[in-house]
């Protein structure tokens, strides 16, 4: 009796809709949303034009799905870190470590949400709405952790934490990633110590 050792091709190859979104995610983050055209998305996704339009209808809908996926992924990662930590302080420090690791990752190109906001300056554009919603969620989630560690002003501290993260992500891409990461760690440590020192 022969035991099959390979997964059938149909199980290994993602469906066309998933493949298009995965391709868009890599290209939009790596090269910029506006610079990537539909023909390139179709070619690199290895789908037909009809298949692309059947699943997404337009590049605009794909862009919204891309930034929505970025939010969902970030949220899942954040929640996973919090669930794995032994305390709220441990979770905050683990979040900083995850940001530092992201900045050091090959192909890092800054924060996907800041990049998207820069490409879509109209505050009424659906992409901007998702970016604002993401940042509101992120600030609220940080404030919850800072409340749990006893920070006297968790909302303000969450704003400071997020601003330090934004600066590190931008500085890590546009400048010296080591210096940016070290600055983030110092800023986050000050925010956390303001709570645990009480």
């Amino acid at each position: 009796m022969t035991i099959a050792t390979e997964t059938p091709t149909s199980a290994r190859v993602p469906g066309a809709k998933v493949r298009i979104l995965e391709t868009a995610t890599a290209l939009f983050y790596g090269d910029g949303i506006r610079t990537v055209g539909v023909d390139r998305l179709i070619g690199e996704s290895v789908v037909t034009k009809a298949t692309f339009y059947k699943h997404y209808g337009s590049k605009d809908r794909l862009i919204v799905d891309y930034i929505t996926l970025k939010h969902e992924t970030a949220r899942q990662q954040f929640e996973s870190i919090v669930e794995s930590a032994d305390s709220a302080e441990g979770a905050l420090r683990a979040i900083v470590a995850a940001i530092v690791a992201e900045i050091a990752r090959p192909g890092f190109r800054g924060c996907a949400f800041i990049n998207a906001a820069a490409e879509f300056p109209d505050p009424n554009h659906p992409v901007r709405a998702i970016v604002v919603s993401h940042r509101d969620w992120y600030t609220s989630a940080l404030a919850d952790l800072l409340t749990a560690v006893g920070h006297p002003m968790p909302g303000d501290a969450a704003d400071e934490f997020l601003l330090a993260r934004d600066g590190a992500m931008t500085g890590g891409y546009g400048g010296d990633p080591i210096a940016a990461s070290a600055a983030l760690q110092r800023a986050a440590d000050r925010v956390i110590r303001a709570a645990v020192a009480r």
Side-chain angles (χ1 to χ4, degrees), residues 77-128:
Q77 290 170 343
F78 188 102
E79 290 173 352
S80 176
I81 289 170
V82 172
E83 288 169 10
S84 300
D86 57 2
S87 66
E89 180 185 350
L92 287 164
R93 295 192 185 281
I95 289 163
V96 173
I99 296 165
V100 168
E102 185 176 357
I103 291 169
R105 178 178 50 81
F108 175 72
R109 211 181 142 263
C111 172
F113 300 96
I114 294 172
N115 294 348
E119 291 198 62
F120 293 89
D122 179 359
N124 297 314
H125 193 282
V127 167
R128 288 298 293 268

Side-chain angles (χ1 to χ4, degrees), residues 8-183:
T9 303
S10 61
R12 284 185 283 138
V13 179
K17 185 173 185 179
V18 172
R19 203 161 61 246
I20 293 165
L21 184 55
E22 288 175 346
T23 301
T25 298
L27 293 178
F28 289 165
Y29 180 75
D31 294 344
I33 297 170
R34 292 196 181 275
T35 63
V36 177
V38 170
D39 288 343
R40 185 175 176 198
L41 288 163
I42 289 167
E44 296 203 22
S45 300
V46 195
V47 296
T48 65
K49 188 171 283 192
T51 298
F52 177 88
Y53 285 107
K54 170 188 161 190
H55 288 299
Y56 287 100
S58 68
K59 181 183 169 185
D60 285 346
R61 182 173 160 206
L62 178 58
I63 293 166
V64 168
D65 282 5
Y66 154 72
I67 202 68
T68 300
L69 176 63
K70 281 291 190 183
H71 166 69
E72 290 168 355
T73 301
R75 185 173 188 145
Q76 288 168 4
Q77 290 170 343
F78 188 102
E79 290 173 352
S80 176
I81 289 170
V82 172
E83 288 169 10
S84 300
D86 57 2
S87 66
E89 180 185 350
L92 287 164
R93 295 192 185 281
I95 289 163
V96 173
I99 296 165
V100 168
E102 185 176 357
I103 291 169
R105 178 178 50 81
F108 175 72
R109 211 181 142 263
C111 172
F113 300 96
I114 294 172
N115 294 348
E119 291 198 62
F120 293 89
D122 179 359
N124 297 314
H125 193 282
V127 167
R128 288 298 293 268
I130 297 165
V131 170
V132 169
S133 176
H134 169 78
R135 292 179 66 80
D136 287 347
W137 160 77
Y138 202 112
T139 305
S140 177
L142 288 170
D144 288 346
L145 289 174
L146 289 158
T147 297
V149 296
H151 199 288
M153 300 178 71
D156 290 350
D159 289 339
E160 291 171 17
F161 194 110
L162 186 59
L163 184 62
R165 175 234 176 237
D166 289 348
M169 298 282 271
T170 304
Y173 172 59
D176 182 343
I178 295 173
S181 295

